[in-house]
Amino acid sequence: MSRKFFPQIQAMAAGKRALFLILGLFFLCLPERALANNLSISNVTLTSPNATDGTIQVQFDISWSNSWRNQTNYDAAWVFIKYSTDSGTTWNHAKLETAGTNPSGVSIGSGTAIDIIVPTDLMGAFIQRSATGSGALSTTSVQLVWDYEANGLTASSTARVKVFGVEMVYIPTGAFYAGDTAATGTFKQGSSDTDPWYISSAGAISVTNTASNGYYYTSAAFTNEDATGATFTIPATFPNGYSAFYLMKYEVTEGEFVEFFNTLTSAQKTTRDMTGLSQGKNSDSVVDRNTIAWTSGDATTTVSDRGVGYWTFQGTMAFYDWAALRPYTELEFEKACRGTLAAVASESAWGNTTITQAVTISGTENGTETITTAGANSNYSVQTFSGGDASTGPLRVGIYATSSSTRTQSGAGYYGNMELSGNLSEHPVTVGNSTGRGFTGTHGNGVLTTIASYEGNATNTDWPGLDGTPSRGVTGGLGMGYRGSNWGATGNGFMVSNRQVAAEYNSNVHSHSGVRGARTASS
């Protein structure tokens, strides 16, 4: 299958204008610079206050390059709002007023025709093309309705507002194969054949981890997997990939981490800091190409488009909660990679075994750099790069993709998600143990803990490692695992269906593990 892929540089752009307002008076300050890459959210203003309803319109312009909508799927931006009532010391998640497609009060603006999809939890909105097309999306004067009264504010409250966005890809409802035809290390139908699982509904799946007929799974390492011979059910509440969902187009970048980090309180920043020696990195040096620095105040980065590692388990969960996203599962990972196609033995995310290592970087790494190695579509095997910042570590997200690149050339999954094989490991929820299978797919609510010593932790009790106890998940992560391999790995880890570390977790912080959030499409 040959497809053109349109995704380009990532992901989260805070509003280019952070504004102060007195809800009844609209006092606007000068714009505050925000990290904005391919996705740009700018000219944020507040308009049309309604003191009776306790609402106000948040207006902004939005654009990104290489957007698409075709007969298969489309990309989108997940847009959410944070507000501060104490001059930026603390930031809270804004709640929208009405759910639905283009609900009452919103404005689709002028420019590229879009739809605005507000989910039932009102934590943000998806902005996506309303008609088939491709290329740059650019729309001005988009309006979302902030229900400030639902956030406990009044018409006389003073607030500062920021608008954030994350590029996503819509993955439609439908059946798919999990596992491939390789002999070991993947999901299988049974011991007598090498057929992969066919996930044909969102219902429960009965599993036997044994060499017998019927479904079973295998992991070469069996790290934290249920014992051989165990019989269990993957419940219907577990997101198994059949139902539609949105998945981040790219792994979280340094710029996105900084935008997230800089909205935290001082105590939360101390917990979520990834620059200290305890996290494997000194703030005064660049390790594995990580340029994030912080000692106090706001963090900085010199290469905002580069994928970022050094996530603790709880830091990963905190980002999902903060952005009102959720973790995704290892079955959703396989759906994103393979789509509706039959499994290919030992295939990478782009649907075949063709893989070329990135070696040479063009120019300064400022978001416009490319890989000049002919045919390169993956970053692996501890490559010391020639050009750019050199050294070893993750690359800019979406670096192989152009407006005319094929799936193999861009290193893309079936639906257009980038770097599902290589660069940074995916970190999905596993089916390999009961903790992972207890995940029901709830979304974050934008609120992190403020409990002493556990500031900045996520709060969803169905998420792996979290049960409502503040200390859970600080160093653990049981129920999560790794897929897709990374810049430091060799061997067959790039295989879509390789499960050698599908249930592995430990307390170490790794420079090779990335973050990619999801959202269920129907909620």
Side-chain angles (χ1 to χ4, degrees):
M1 176 178 179
S2 176
R3 292 182 61 201
K4 300 253 195 231
F5 282 88
F6 305 105
Q8 273 284 22
I9 332 286
Q10 96 314 323
M12 183 174 67
K16 283 191 174 179
R17 184 184 300 268
L19 54 96
F20 297 96
L21 83 146
I22 299 173
L23 292 177
L25 300 179
F26 313 116
F27 176 69
L28 303 182
C29 283
L30 294 174
E32 178 179 296
R33 178 171 174 79
L35 291 170
N37 299 299
N38 187 238
L39 172 61
S40 174
I41 295 175
S42 59
N43 298 324
V44 179
T45 58
L46 293 165
T47 185
S48 304
N50 186 323
T52 301
D53 292 344
T55 64
I56 194 166
Q57 261 76 8
V58 180
Q59 179 173 298
F60 54 90
D61 302 338
I62 187 168
S63 64
W64 69 91
S65 301
N66 300 311
S67 170
W68 79 90
R69 187 180 187 112
N70 55 35
Q71 299 303 312
T72 301
N73 75 317
Y74 45 86
D75 69 345
W78 170 244
V79 176
F80 54 98
I81 302 164
K82 299 284 184 179
Y83 69 94
S84 174
T85 58
D86 55 10
S87 300
T89 300
T90 58
W91 290 91
N92 305 287
H93 201 96
K95 195 165 189 176
L96 303 186
E97 183 188 33
T98 307
T101 300
N102 302 324
S104 175
V106 307
S107 173
I108 60 173
S110 301
T112 307
I114 61 171
D115 282 329
I116 298 173
I117 315 296
V118 179
T120 56
D121 65 1
L122 307 174
M123 290 292 102
F126 288 104
I127 294 177
Q128 56 204 40
R129 286 178 177 269
S130 61
T132 300
S134 62
L137 182 152
S138 181
T139 304
T140 61
S141 301
V142 176
Q143 292 182 356
L144 302 179
V145 184
W146 175 21
D147 186 353
Y148 64 77
E149 191 172 73
N151 286 124
L153 278 65
T154 69
S156 61
S157 299
T158 301
R160 173 187 288 191
V161 172
K162 286 186 177 183
V163 180
F164 296 86
V166 183
E167 282 188 68
M168 309 286 283
V169 173
Y170 175 77
I171 298 176
T173 297
F176 68 101
Y177 289 98
D180 67 27
T181 57
T184 60
T186 76
F187 294 114
K188 299 296 176 191
Q189 283 283 91
S191 62
S192 60
D193 61 48
T194 56
D195 293 336
W197 298 6
Y198 187 60
I199 310 296
S200 58
S201 78
I205 303 172
S206 296
V207 180
T208 300
N209 181 23
T210 187
S212 62
N213 292 329
Y215 289 117
Y216 81 101
Y217 70 96
T218 179
S219 167
F222 291 103
T223 306
N224 303 308
E225 301 271 16
D226 286 339
T228 299
T231 299
F232 56 84
T233 297
I234 300 173
T237 53
F238 184 87
N240 72 4
Y242 179 84
S243 299
F245 63 102
Y246 289 85
L247 182 66
M248 284 179 63
K249 190 183 294 183
Y250 309 102
E251 298 152 336
V252 173
T253 64
E254 291 192 13
E256 290 178 319
F257 174 84
V258 165
E259 287 293 343
F260 153 67
F261 185 86
N262 289 348
T263 64
L264 304 181
T265 66
S266 295
Q268 289 172 338
K269 286 176 178 177
T270 299
T271 305
R272 297 279 70 85
D273 175 29
M274 65 165 57
T275 66
L277 289 173
S278 63
Q279 307 286 54
K281 179 181 180 294
N282 187 304
S283 60
D284 296 325
S285 65
V286 176
V287 178
D288 294 331
R289 294 167 53 80
N290 185 325
T291 71
I292 294 170
W294 178 76
T295 52
S296 63
D298 285 347
T300 61
T301 172
T302 59
V303 189
S304 62
D305 300 318
R306 185 176 291 163
V308 61
Y310 290 105
W311 292 90
T312 62
F313 163 76
Q314 188 55 268
T316 297
M317 296 303 189
F319 181 87
Y320 296 148
D321 199 352
W322 173 84
L325 297 173
R326 65 165 174 85
Y328 77 123
T329 71
E330 60 171 317
L331 293 177
E332 290 177 317
F333 168 75
E334 296 214 18
K335 171 76 170 285
C337 292
R338 185 173 290 121
T340 61
L341 299 179
V344 175
S346 303
E347 65 186 317
S348 293
W350 42 92
N352 55 52
T353 59
T354 300
I355 183 168
T356 302
Q357 185 179 33
V359 176
T360 304
I361 302 171
S362 72
T364 302
E365 295 191 63
N366 60 4
T368 64
E369 73 275 11
T370 60
I371 295 296
T372 57
T373 310
N377 60 0
S378 191
N379 175 18
Y380 62 97
S381 196
V382 200
Q383 174 62 48
T384 300
F385 298 111
S386 174
D389 293 347
S391 190
T392 59
L395 291 167
R396 168 175 73 81
V397 298
I399 196 166
Y400 313 107
T402 69
S403 60
S404 61
S405 54
T406 65
R407 180 179 170 191
T408 299
Q409 290 168 338
S410 59
Y414 179 84
Y415 295 101
N417 304 87
M418 298 286 104
E419 284 86 50
L420 292 167
S421 289
N423 208 45
L424 291 163
S425 292
E426 304 296 309
H427 197 30
V429 180
T430 187
V431 302
N433 55 55
S434 59
T435 302
R437 294 190 298 272
F439 176 57
T440 62
T442 63
H443 298 123
N445 64 0
V447 179
L448 303 180
T449 61
T450 56
I451 300 171
S453 300
Y454 304 111
E455 293 92 346
N457 285 359
T459 58
N460 292 57
T461 56
D462 69 304
W463 291 6
L466 307 177
D467 62 359
T469 304
S471 60
R472 288 295 297 273
V474 174
T475 60
L478 180 64
M480 304 290 283
Y482 298 100
R483 290 292 209 105
S485 198
N486 58 77
W487 63 266
T490 58
N492 60 2
F494 302 96
M495 291 167 46
V496 168
S497 298
N498 184 287
R499 299 194 66 254
Q500 287 180 315
V501 289
E504 178 181 325
Y505 86 99
N506 54 53
S507 60
N508 295 328
V509 177
H510 301 290
S511 60
H512 56 64
S513 179
V515 167
R516 190 189 307 258
R519 237 186 184 270
T520 304
S522 60
S523 62

